[in-house]
Amino acid sequence: MEEERKKESEFRIKIDRDSDSYDEFVSQIKDLIANEDSKQLKEMLDGAHPADIVTLFRDLEREEELYLFRLLPKEDQAYSLIKMEEETLESFLEELSVDEISNTLDHIETDETTYLLSYLPGAKRELVLANLSKADSFEIRSQLGFREYSAGRLMSKDFATVSITDNVRKGIINVRKKAKEIEDIYQVYVTDEDGVLEGFIPLKDLFLTPINTKVAKITNFSVFAFHYDVDQEEVANTFKKYDLVSAAVTDDLGRIIGRITVDDVLEIVEEEASEDILLMAGVSEDERLSTPILQSVKRRIIWLNVNLLTAFVSSTVVAFFEDTISQIVVLATLMPIVAGLGGNAGTQSVTVVIRNIATGDLSFSNWWEAVRKECTIGVINGLVLGTVTGCMIFFVKGNLVLGLVVGTAMFVNMIVASLTGSLVPIVLKAMRVDPAIASSIFVTATTDVCGFFFFLGLATVFAKYLI
Amino acid sequence: MEEERKKESEFRIKIDRDSDSYDEFVSQIKDLIANEDSKQLKEMLDGAHPADIVTLFRDLEREEELYLFRLLPKEDQAYSLIKMEEETLESFLEELSVDEISNTLDHIETDETTYLLSYLPGAKRELVLANLSKADSFEIRSQLGFREYSAGRLMSKDFATVSITDNVRKGIINVRKKAKEIEDIYQVYVTDEDGVLEGFIPLKDLFLTPINTKVAKITNFSVFAFHYDVDQEEVANTFKKYDLVSAAVTDDLGRIIGRITVDDVLEIVEEEASEDILLMAGVSEDERLSTPILQSVKRRIIWLNVNLLTAFVSSTVVAFFEDTISQIVVLATLMPIVAGLGGNAGTQSVTVVIRNIATGDLSFSNWWEAVRKECTIGVINGLVLGTVTGCMIFFVKGNLVLGLVVGTAMFVNMIVASLTGSLVPIVLKAMRVDPAIASSIFVTATTDVCGFFFFLGLATVFAKYLI
């Protein structure tokens, strides 16, 4: 560990929020900004990674951020914008002039430019686009035209191609031309004379083959291509399933118009998983530590209010049985057990099903398999927990019928839990609603209502044995 | 969409479980296996991706899987083993002979070999290792020695290096030597004469530079390196933060011993996110649709039993107040509201905090920030929901004191929820326990107990105004 840290710091100044000297570092930076000592600041930040600069921004005031930002080399300015969190980015871009924004854009790929421009208001965006070269602005306009969260938005337009009728020499020349703009070329795409994608050649094969070889001879025809309108989640799942490093994006006629690389997909996988986990808990899908408090409250409180309504519904069910409860008060102490365990079992089913939908393991072809499995688990869980709880109640309270009532209600509620827990997300998915968003509230509401109803209902029927 | 599908199928037969003809395809395959028509089978599966073969396996019996597996080219055999789900892999490997396993291993990288061997029982693993070349078996043995979930386990030993004192010609020769074994070379690592990592050269720069240029002249010294014992979660977070495509792994002396590529990281990001979401719900971290039912039940039922215990604890709290409840039965109908909403608000806090820990945004340097934010949210939520609920109760039941009691209990419980919801995962993390694993059970247990206690306690104090 020691060695590695040393190693890394030889190459790049690392700004590490967890290091002991970080607070001191920040106050030093703040002082230098106050004194407008740009020379010293540039020296201190020389070689720092833009991602670390953004980390540093979190501990600065907006004015300080802007001062520092303007000292950065243009390329680092662009990357620090890309690494900024979405809420910060929008207000930060507002402070920058049209010229400042356009100047940074030369240094990044088209997908990143498109991403940044989507955070600008329409009028300012037009001004920035007018500042770019005609070719660039045309490309970005066309990319902004693709649907959000589609392969077209995700792709980069920077890639190298070679015609299948050419020879390797031509391929190397094409790569050489592109090499200056493109950071990471791993392969050259092979097309027919109309630009229709035919296959690809890994970069090393291109360079290690005699230059007069026909391209067709070394082309790998097992190329993966996405239509530009395919959803980014499908792109991510395909990358995962087939271990892809990059894939082509094609237009309606199968002509290559872009490429997607695995590092773009990494972000999607992370985002989609975070989205699920946050949505399930009723938190805004993009809530982060840096989200302003009122924004966090807004979304959370909506969900809690919905929850309040469902709580009133289950409270009404309990109210039906007030007479029974007033005669047998012990029921009030036991009813949360039946409802609570049902809720947790339902959440387990919901979570597993939502995760399987997200990873692509569960689709409309095998939903029945999932529901059957969950229900079998529900029956087993119900038998075990119903028996355990029933016995515990019998031993503690010394009333066999009470034990039987609790156990039976628990058993039935476990089956309700796994049935709704597995069906609700599948039905939501079929209705094209994100299955994570409302599944868990609906499931726990159902298990509460059913839990209270079965338990108090049974208790009412067998009331005379319980008193 | 239509076009894309056509395009893809030109290159690879795609086995798509969601396609209409899939069932027919499976029964055709099953018939051919029954007739041992290997020629026809090979023809049907020619060019199919190993990941799709594994998909097909799900719908076959074990005997059929084995028959099909043995028909595959050795390379595809290896990849289909890698793509198999973990529970299937272990029992599948049991059926294969030592020779069959060793023969497939020639076709994959060392990290994948290490992965497969870790699923073999010790004795069989030794036999397989004895079948490999001395060099290979030495490499794999040393890799098996690294800690599980460490950078050392994750890395591949297949990479190309060049000494910083050499010239570009030597670099190209080294790449040429490695090119046959290594699927995906993107860069060449530059070392000093002792093998200590100095930097890297992107492949395209190597090939596009005159061959007599000194390596030092085109070396990029901003190389990322991990010590072999760094945790895979840290590796993944660094890849995400700095948008890396590959990184080196070094030994204690800073010598390069492997490299990690972004596609390996993709799997980790997915796994870690899935793990969190499943652990939070009390499901085994690697439960999938294909997990055998009893295995699924085992882990889930442990959690439900723990939950049963906490439910009994909160039930005991309710039992304390049986006298009050028997006088004022309406309390029994309202108490689940106070406890339930607290549980949900606590789950929101837990989820946000766990997610921020996983993405690396929350660390020991800023935990206080997170707790303060959650508590502020708790106070706001408590004020809003306490008031709303109190007013609703007052209007429905016409008792002001009852409204005040419910509202106050709700307010206090919301603060308890956000305090425990944010503190518990942070404390678990500090204790080096996975914060996802037990946070939510502890938090909901706390909000149940406190919710019941505050509400029924207040009601007991003000009992005379409630009857």
Side-chain angles (χ1 to χ4, degrees):
Chain A
M1 206 60 200
E2 204 38 55
E3 201 53 36
E4 175 225 359
R5 293 264 179 244
K6 211 187 99 232
K7 197 96 226 118
E8 260 181 46
S9 61
E10 273 173 38
F11 305 119
R12 287 254 189 198
I13 294 175
K14 239 188 128 182
I15 299 173
D16 183 357
R17 277 190 128 199
D18 278 332
S19 86
D20 296 331
S21 55
Y22 178 74
D23 287 344
E24 202 183 308
F25 177 76
V26 172
S27 64
Q28 230 177 320
I29 294 278
K30 278 174 174 274
D31 287 346
L32 289 171
I33 294 174
N35 299 328
E36 306 203 352
D37 188 348
S38 60
K39 198 169 148 263
Q40 179 76 16
L41 275 170
K42 274 185 185 162
E43 227 162 75
M44 274 183 80
L45 296 175
D46 182 44
H49 196 288
D52 286 324
I53 303 273
V54 173
T55 308
L56 178 62
F57 277 2
R58 288 200 211 158
D59 295 296
L60 301 180
E61 303 300 321
R62 177 52 55 87
E63 282 309 309
E64 297 170 329
E65 286 177 36
L66 283 166
Y67 185 84
L68 217 55
F69 178 82
R70 291 182 171 125
L71 292 181
L72 297 177
K74 291 276 171 289
E75 195 180 342
D76 285 2
Q77 286 189 354
Y79 278 106
S80 64
L81 288 177
I82 293 165
K83 293 307 264 178
M84 230 171 250
E85 279 164 34
E86 296 175 37
E87 340 34 291
T88 327
L89 177 59
E90 199 164 343
S91 64
F92 196 90
L93 285 173
E94 269 172 35
E95 309 265 0
L96 298 180
S97 74
V98 169
D99 281 341
E100 281 177 317
I101 298 175
S102 2
N103 285 338
T104 65
L105 298 183
D106 281 343
H107 301 275
I108 49 178
E109 295 188 23
T110 55
D111 56 332
E112 295 163 332
T113 307
T114 310
Y115 164 80
L116 289 181
L117 288 184
S118 69
Y119 281 88
L120 284 181
K124 199 166 182 180
R125 187 193 298 167
E126 284 306 314
L127 290 172
V128 172
L129 280 169
N131 260 355
L132 298 179
S133 77
K134 261 205 173 142
D136 280 355
S137 102
F138 175 78
E139 277 196 349
I140 288 155
R141 260 178 225 282
S142 76
Q143 196 155 9
L144 278 167
F146 293 125
R147 191 169 53 81
E148 232 187 324
Y149 309 118
S150 71
R153 270 295 181 92
L154 197 62
M155 74 189 190
S156 155
K157 294 212 169 193
D158 303 310
F159 56 91
T161 59
V162 63
S163 167
I164 193 148
T165 55
D166 280 327
N167 56 22
V168 166
R169 186 198 311 272
K170 187 68 205 288
I172 293 178
I173 292 171
N174 288 355
V175 170
R176 202 182 286 273
K177 270 192 221 153
K178 282 279 175 187
K180 269 171 222 145
E181 310 166 24
I182 316 183
E183 189 86 357
D184 44 351
I185 303 187
Y186 312 128
Q187 45 193 226
V188 177
Y189 289 101
V190 179
T191 64
D192 69 8
E193 54 275 25
D194 297 322
V196 173
L197 182 67
E198 292 280 346
F200 72 96
I201 305 172
L203 201 57
K204 72 170 164 57
D205 292 353
L206 191 73
F207 283 113
L208 297 177
T209 310
I211 53 173
N212 288 322
T213 315
K214 280 274 167 215
V215 162
K217 264 192 94 172
I218 58 167
T219 299
N220 185 338
F221 292 96
S222 307
V223 63
F224 276 86
F226 296 98
H227 183 264
Y228 62 82
D229 203 40
V230 166
D231 208 72
Q232 65 171 17
E233 203 165 349
E234 193 182 323
V235 172
N237 285 337
T238 309
F239 264 79
K240 276 184 288 176
K241 178 165 183 188
Y242 299 103
D243 289 329
L244 305 184
V245 172
S246 82
V249 177
T250 55
D251 66 10
D252 294 322
L253 300 173
R255 291 177 302 203
I256 179 166
I257 54 170
R259 59 141 197 188
I260 297 174
T261 45
V262 62
D263 44 316
D264 303 319
V265 172
L266 189 62
E267 246 166 79
I268 300 170
V269 170
E270 169 87 2
E271 269 173 28
E272 301 275 350
S274 275
E275 228 181 85
D276 276 357
I277 197 169
L278 294 175
L279 281 180
M280 276 185 66
V283 181
S284 168
E285 58 194 275
D286 46 10
E287 181 169 335
R288 298 176 134 254
L289 202 53
S290 55
T291 308
I293 286 191
L294 282 180
Q295 215 168 303
S296 297
V297 167
K298 218 170 99 189
R299 176 71 177 265
R300 292 202 204 175
I301 219 161
I302 293 176
W303 165 272
L304 291 175
N305 273 308
V306 175
N307 187 226
L308 187 60
L309 285 180
T310 65
F312 267 102
V313 173
S314 49
S315 152
T316 314
V317 174
V318 179
F320 265 125
F321 300 99
E322 271 188 8
D323 284 350
T324 316
I325 296 174
S326 70
Q327 285 165 39
I328 318 157
V329 184
V330 71
L331 298 180
T333 69
L334 299 179
M335 63 182 207
I337 299 179
V338 177
L341 258 86
N344 274 309
T347 304
Q348 291 182 334
S349 296
V350 162
T351 309
V352 170
V353 170
I354 286 177
R355 231 19 241 160
N356 278 306
I357 290 176
T359 56
D361 286 339
L362 199 162
S363 60
F364 293 121
S365 68
N366 62 342
W367 68 272
W368 176 238
E369 219 176 282
V371 175
R372 201 179 46 202
K373 184 182 170 189
E374 288 305 317
C375 287
T376 315
I377 293 177
V379 171
I380 301 176
N381 277 348
L383 281 174
V384 175
L385 287 165
T387 312
V388 171
T389 319
C391 292
M392 280 170 82
I393 301 290
F394 172 53
F395 285 118
V396 175
K397 307 283 177 189
N399 184 325
L400 181 63
V401 179
L402 188 62
L404 283 172
V405 166
V406 174
T408 312
M410 183 84 94
F411 173 69
V412 178
N413 207 25
M414 283 290 163
I415 296 171
V416 170
S418 49
L419 194 65
T420 51
S422 53
L423 274 179
V424 168
I426 292 171
V427 170
L428 285 174
K429 169 90 182 163
M431 291 164 60
R432 297 179 169 278
V433 177
D434 189 325
I437 199 163
S439 293
S440 112
I441 195 176
F442 192 82
V443 170
T444 49
T446 311
T447 50
D448 270 359
V449 168
C450 292
F452 291 143
F453 180 78
F454 293 131
F455 175 58
L456 296 174
L458 277 171
T460 308
V461 172
F462 297 102
K464 59 179 169 189
Y465 305 105
L466 299 176
I467 302 172
Chain B
M1 205 61 200
E2 205 36 55
E3 200 54 36
E4 175 226 357
R5 294 267 178 241
K6 212 186 99 229
K7 196 93 228 121
E8 260 181 46
S9 60
E10 273 174 37
F11 305 119
R12 287 256 190 195
I13 294 175
K14 239 190 128 181
I15 299 173
D16 184 357
R17 277 191 126 200
D18 279 331
S19 87
D20 296 332
S21 55
Y22 179 73
D23 287 345
E24 203 184 308
F25 177 77
V26 172
S27 64
Q28 230 178 318
I29 294 278
K30 278 174 173 276
D31 287 347
L32 289 172
I33 295 174
N35 299 329
E36 304 202 352
D37 187 348
S38 62
K39 199 170 147 262
Q40 178 76 16
L41 274 170
K42 273 186 187 162
E43 228 163 74
M44 274 184 79
L45 296 175
D46 182 44
H49 195 286
D52 285 324
I53 304 271
V54 172
T55 308
L56 177 62
F57 276 2
R58 287 201 212 158
D59 295 296
L60 301 179
E61 303 299 321
R62 178 49 56 88
E63 283 308 310
E64 296 170 329
E65 285 176 36
L66 283 166
Y67 185 84
L68 216 56
F69 178 83
R70 289 180 172 128
L71 292 181
L72 296 177
K74 291 277 171 289
E75 194 181 344
D76 285 3
Q77 286 188 356
Y79 278 106
S80 64
L81 289 177
I82 293 166
K83 293 308 264 179
M84 231 172 247
E85 279 164 33
E86 295 175 36
E87 354 13 302
T88 327
L89 178 58
E90 199 163 343
S91 64
F92 196 89
L93 284 173
E94 269 172 34
E95 309 266 359
L96 298 180
S97 74
V98 169
D99 281 341
E100 280 177 318
I101 297 175
S102 0
N103 285 337
T104 65
L105 298 184
D106 282 343
H107 301 273
I108 50 177
E109 296 189 21
T110 54
D111 56 333
E112 295 162 334
T113 308
T114 310
Y115 165 80
L116 288 181
L117 288 184
S118 70
Y119 281 89
L120 285 180
K124 198 166 181 180
R125 187 193 297 167
E126 283 307 314
L127 290 172
V128 171
L129 280 169
N131 259 355
L132 298 180
S133 77
K134 262 209 173 138
D136 279 356
S137 102
F138 175 77
E139 278 196 351
I140 288 155
R141 261 177 223 283
S142 76
Q143 197 156 9
L144 278 167
F146 294 124
R147 191 170 52 81
E148 231 186 325
Y149 309 118
S150 71
R153 271 294 180 92
L154 197 62
M155 74 187 188
S156 154
K157 293 211 168 192
D158 302 312
F159 56 90
T161 58
V162 62
S163 167
I164 193 148
T165 55
D166 280 329
N167 56 20
V168 166
R169 186 197 312 271
K170 186 69 205 284
I172 293 178
I173 292 171
N174 288 355
V175 170
R176 203 182 284 272
K177 270 192 224 153
K178 281 280 175 186
K180 269 172 221 143
E181 310 165 23
I182 316 183
E183 190 86 358
D184 43 353
I185 303 188
Y186 312 128
Q187 44 194 227
V188 178
Y189 288 101
V190 179
T191 64
D192 69 7
E193 55 275 25
D194 297 322
V196 173
L197 181 66
E198 294 280 345
F200 72 96
I201 304 173
L203 201 57
K204 73 170 163 59
D205 292 352
L206 190 73
F207 283 115
L208 297 176
T209 309
I211 52 174
N212 287 321
T213 315
K214 280 274 165 217
V215 162
K217 264 191 93 173
I218 58 166
T219 299
N220 185 339
F221 292 95
S222 306
V223 63
F224 277 86
F226 296 98
H227 184 264
Y228 62 82
D229 202 40
V230 166
D231 208 71
Q232 65 170 16
E233 203 166 349
E234 193 183 324
V235 172
N237 284 338
T238 309
F239 264 79
K240 276 185 290 177
K241 178 165 184 190
Y242 298 102
D243 290 328
L244 306 183
V245 173
S246 82
V249 177
T250 54
D251 66 10
D252 294 323
L253 300 174
R255 290 175 304 203
I256 179 165
I257 55 171
R259 57 139 199 190
I260 297 175
T261 46
V262 63
D263 44 316
D264 303 318
V265 172
L266 189 62
E267 246 166 77
I268 300 170
V269 170
E270 169 88 2
E271 268 173 29
E272 301 275 349
S274 276
E275 229 182 85
D276 276 357
I277 197 170
L278 294 174
L279 281 179
M280 276 185 66
V283 181
S284 168
E285 58 195 275
D286 46 10
E287 181 169 334
R288 299 176 133 253
L289 202 52
S290 53
T291 308
I293 286 190
L294 281 181
Q295 215 168 304
S296 296
V297 167
K298 218 170 99 187
R299 177 70 177 265
R300 292 202 204 176
I301 219 161
I302 293 176
W303 166 273
L304 290 175
N305 273 310
V306 175
N307 186 226
L308 188 59
L309 285 180
T310 65
F312 267 102
V313 173
S314 48
S315 152
T316 314
V317 174
V318 179
F320 266 124
F321 300 100
E322 271 187 9
D323 285 349
T324 316
I325 296 174
S326 69
Q327 285 166 40
I328 318 158
V329 185
V330 71
L331 297 180
T333 69
L334 298 180
M335 65 183 205
I337 300 179
V338 177
L341 258 86
N344 275 308
T347 305
Q348 291 182 334
S349 295
V350 162
T351 309
V352 170
V353 170
I354 286 176
R355 230 21 239 158
N356 277 307
I357 290 175
T359 57
D361 285 338
L362 199 162
S363 60
F364 294 120
S365 68
N366 61 343
W367 68 271
W368 176 238
E369 219 176 284
V371 174
R372 201 179 46 200
K373 184 182 171 188
E374 288 305 318
C375 287
T376 315
I377 293 176
V379 171
I380 301 176
N381 278 348
L383 282 174
V384 175
L385 287 164
T387 312
V388 171
T389 320
C391 292
M392 280 170 82
I393 302 290
F394 173 52
F395 285 119
V396 175
K397 308 282 177 190
N399 185 326
L400 182 63
V401 179
L402 188 62
L404 283 172
V405 166
V406 174
T408 312
M410 183 84 94
F411 173 70
V412 179
N413 207 24
M414 283 290 162
I415 297 170
V416 170
S418 49
L419 194 66
T420 50
S422 54
L423 274 179
V424 168
I426 292 171
V427 170
L428 286 174
K429 170 88 183 164
M431 291 163 60
R432 298 181 169 275
V433 177
D434 189 328
I437 200 163
S439 293
S440 110
I441 195 175
F442 192 82
V443 171
T444 49
T446 311
T447 50
D448 270 359
V449 167
C450 293
F452 291 143
F453 180 77
F454 293 132
F455 175 58
L456 297 174
L458 277 171
T460 308
V461 172
F462 297 103
K464 59 179 168 186
Y465 306 104
L466 298 177
I467 302 172

